[in-house]
Structures are given as structure tokens and as C-alpha cells.
Amino acid sequence: MFPAPAPILATTARRFALRSLPSLAAAQQSLTQSSFFIATLPPSRNPINPAPSTAMRLYSSTPQPQSPIPDGNSILASYQQQPTSSSPLMGNNISLAMETLARANAVCFDVDSTVITEEGIDVLADTLGKGPEVSAWTSKAMDGNIKFEDALAARLDIIRPSRKDIEKCLEMHPLRLSPGVDTLLEALQKRGTEVFLVSGGFRLMIEPVAEVLGVKKDHVYANTILFDESGNYAGFDATEPTSADQGKPKALRMIKEKYGFEKMVMVGDGATDAQACPPADAFIGFGGVVVREAVKEKACWFVEDFEMMIDIVNKYRST
């Protein structure tokens, strides 16, 4: 059994960059001419909470002069007085999450329904005519009603994707970024905060997203599908930390120990993301694609867009 070769990933990345995210490409080009850009919100195919197809939002792409970091209560109070987002302030320890984000050495993002507007495995299943069957397993896994490894094995056994199936899927249905996530990651990277993608999804589908967002390949923790010599599905690599329940806490511990980060934030939409705090010092739940009540209840801070996070990152320099 062999993991997909590098040339396939490179080809897929080129196709992804060329065929999807036209607004991101245009935005990046405009950055050389202006300190602001307008990001077109791409339509979401998520049936739970479809995004509008023709909405526009203004983001600052230039960090403001960064201030000394006050305590979390002071940061929270400033946004209660002058909110920068239409989303209400929700969470069980918002001040902790805001201060941790302001001071973070590293921020780890889930990918499906957080960085992108869909569940990658569901998109793949749809292209293979197995959508409803796989989607039911995805919902169980994301809501925390079943062990992740059981849901992963069951879904892969249903679709059994070949290497060509995955290539064709990305060609026919290019994945789309959640509105504002590119601006948030750019702000974090400019500030010197390390960004990681930690996902129960598949490297073949996630590494092209990472490349578009400027996330280093060794900062991607995801699952590896195995293929035989003919490119047919042959299983998945069970040694990947994210292939099992409690895999994201394991991945974040590995990251923290390897790099010695003092402050780390986890951002995501699912139950497996909430599990990652600790070792993350704060968990920010994301509901911009789908709101999961169990995640909302566990989140230090629950957001439905990235606007306030972008403002905090631009305003404060991590320590």
C-alpha cells in the first residue's frame, strides 16, 4: 500500500488554485495597490446554512499599530462597548479566549466547515453517488455521538475512493474558503503566529488548501488515504494522530511539545475540536457554516464569523 505521490498533490494544488477561489486570487493581487480589499463571499453548498451568493464584506488587510496586551476582561469590555461584528458575544469564557488569541504563539484550525465551507468527505461522497449515506455518518461524528475512528472507517468503506476519484472530485467541485479566513490567517502570519491545520479529513484534499493559504506542509495534521499500485483504495494510515477519537488533543500535544508554544488556540466547528482544549489553552467554536449546539456549549468563545478575531490579531502582538 502506498500513500499518494507528491506529483499528484502538486497537480491538484495547481488545479485548486486556478479553478477555485477567484475572489481570493483577485484580492491578493489588489493588496499591492491598497491597504484594503473586498472579499466576495462564495456560495456555500452546505444545506444547513447556505451562504448568500452575492454578499460583499470589507476587511482590513493591514495590521493596525499593535498595542500592549491588556487582560482578557478589558479586551472583552472594549468589544461590548464597540462591537466589530454582527455576531453576538457567546461562550463560557470569552475573556480567556480573547486574551489567549491576543497572546497566542500558535493557532490550530479545523478545516472542514471551518476553513472551508463544506465537509470534504461529504463532497467526495456526493461525486461518487454516496452522499446521503456518508453525510449521516459525518453528522454523528461531528456531534460527538460516535467514536471518530468508527465513523472514518465506515465512511471510507462506503466510498472506497481511488486516487483518480479524489482528483476528479477536486476538479469538478473545488473547495471554497469560509469568508474572511484568508484574512485571519494572513494577519496571524504577519504577526508571527504559527498556523496549523489539524483535521480528520484527507491530506490529498487539505494540502492544496494549505498551499493557497500559505500554511507550511509540515503544519498540516490530517489523514492519509492509502492506494495500491493501480491507484485503488487500500485503506487509511491508522498511525496518523487524527485518525482516531481524541486524535486532535494528541496532535496538539505533539505540536506544543515539538515547538514549545506557551499559548495555543484551537478553532473549529466540531466535537473533536472541542476535545482539543486542553492541550489548547482556549477553544473558539466556529458556527459560520453550521451551528452545533454541543460545540456552542463547550466553546470558550463561539463565533459565527471571523471579523472580531481578525481585529484582535491586528490590534495585539503575541508574546
Side-chain angles (χ1 to χ4, degrees), residues 110-261:
D110 175 42
V111 176
D112 296 331
S113 296
T114 300
V115 170
I116 62 173
T117 61
E118 297 155 308
E119 294 288 329
I121 193 169
D122 290 350
V123 175
L124 179 58
D126 281 339
T127 65
L128 298 175
K130 304 285 187 178
E133 200 173 348
V134 167
S135 177
W137 280 98
T138 299
S139 295
K140 290 179 186 178
M142 293 302 99
D143 290 336
N145 295 328
I146 189 172
K147 285 187 176 181
F148 183 80
E149 61 264 36
D150 295 337
L152 179 62
R155 289 177 292 175
L156 283 173
D157 194 52
I158 291 168
I159 57 179
R160 303 185 66 81
S162 68
R163 186 183 291 133
K164 287 184 179 179
D165 288 336
I166 296 174
E167 283 188 84
K168 185 176 180 181
C169 170
L170 290 176
E171 208 173 309
M172 292 174 59
H173 302 282
L175 304 174
R176 295 183 181 273
L177 294 180
S178 292
V181 73
D182 51 317
T183 308
L184 175 57
L185 267 68
E186 181 185 26
L188 286 164
Q189 290 159 343
K190 282 184 177 179
R191 191 181 74 169
T193 302
E194 295 289 336
V195 174
F196 295 81
L197 302 183
V198 182
S199 173
F202 309 127
R203 287 186 180 277
L204 269 176
M205 302 182 80
I206 291 170
E207 287 184 345
V209 179
E211 184 172 334
V212 167
L213 291 170
V215 176
K216 293 178 278 190
K217 193 172 179 180
D218 64 357
H219 281 31
V220 175
Y221 288 73
N223 288 313
T224 301
I225 297 178
L226 303 174
F227 305 100
D228 63 20
E229 292 181 354
S230 299
N232 297 313
Y233 174 72
F236 64 93
D237 185 354
T239 66
E240 294 278 12
T242 56
S243 67
D245 201 43
Q246 297 293 326
K248 289 186 179 180
K250 182 178 179 180
L252 265 66
R253 277 194 296 272
M254 292 167 60
I255 292 168
K256 218 169 188 180
E257 290 170 5
K258 180 177 180 179
Y259 296 96
F261 297 131

Side-chain angles (χ1 to χ4, degrees), residues 280-319:
D281 300 284
F283 168 55
I284 299 176
F286 180 68
V289 176
V290 55
V291 175
R292 307 184 197 279
E293 290 302 322
V295 174
K296 197 177 195 180
E297 292 171 5
K298 294 176 181 176
C300 300
W301 180 21
F302 189 82
V303 301
E304 294 182 349
D305 60 55
F306 293 116
E307 292 177 17
M308 205 173 292
M309 292 178 65
I310 293 168
D311 195 63
I312 288 173
V313 171
N314 279 339
K315 192 176 292 183
Y316 304 111
R317 181 174 297 281
S318 57
T319 55

Side-chain angles (χ1 to χ4, degrees), residues 60-100:
S60 170
S61 65
T62 301
Q64 306 159 20
Q66 290 171 324
S67 311
I69 300 173
D71 63 75
N73 289 328
S74 299
I75 298 174
L76 174 58
S78 71
Y79 288 104
Q80 289 172 327
Q81 293 164 7
Q82 293 183 322
T84 60
S85 169
S86 57
S87 297
L89 287 163
M90 298 175 283
N92 56 50
N93 201 338
I94 301 172
S95 60
L96 170 69
M98 286 183 166
E99 183 174 350
T100 305

